Amino acid sequence: DFLHAVYDVGGSSTVDDSLMRHQGREYGYVITGTLGVQVGFDEYQLNPGDAISFDSTLPHRLFNKGPEPVNAIWFVVGRDADDLP
């Protein structure tokens, strides 16, 4: 998956206090806004120009931490492995 992700103010990839996990590896690059990324017990704050990558099998959540929408480029490799028997 290769996508332009937008998180409006207060938006997130999952409901509050909920984490997701799936097969693959994620790569992200923030264009605008402040993106919070929780991976396991660690939390990161990404600003414009920052990038991150992590193993998607680790519990994770992405969320807007600022007063403006977050625009980011996101790439997930190997997620289709979820569909394999």
Side-chain angles (χ1 to χ4, degrees), residues 1-79:
D1 296 331
F2 183 79
L3 54 116
H4 172 213
V6 177
Y7 292 98
D8 289 326
V9 175
S12 65
S13 61
T14 63
V15 295
D16 291 347
D17 299 324
S18 175
L19 302 174
M20 73 165 114
R21 50 190 238 166
H22 51 83
Q23 294 297 314
R25 184 159 188 86
E26 299 195 26
Y27 301 86
Y29 176 81
V30 175
I31 300 168
T32 63
T34 304
L35 182 67
V37 180
Q38 182 178 350
V39 180
F41 294 107
D42 297 322
E43 186 175 309
Y44 307 93
Q45 178 174 306
L46 304 180
N47 298 302
D50 289 342
I52 192 169
S53 69
F54 57 89
D55 183 336
S56 302
T57 62
L58 297 172
H60 60 280
R61 180 174 181 263
L62 312 173
F63 54 97
N64 186 325
K65 285 191 73 159
E68 65 180 281
V70 171
N71 285 274
I73 300 299
W74 221 257
F75 188 58
V76 183
V77 178
R79 184 173 186 151

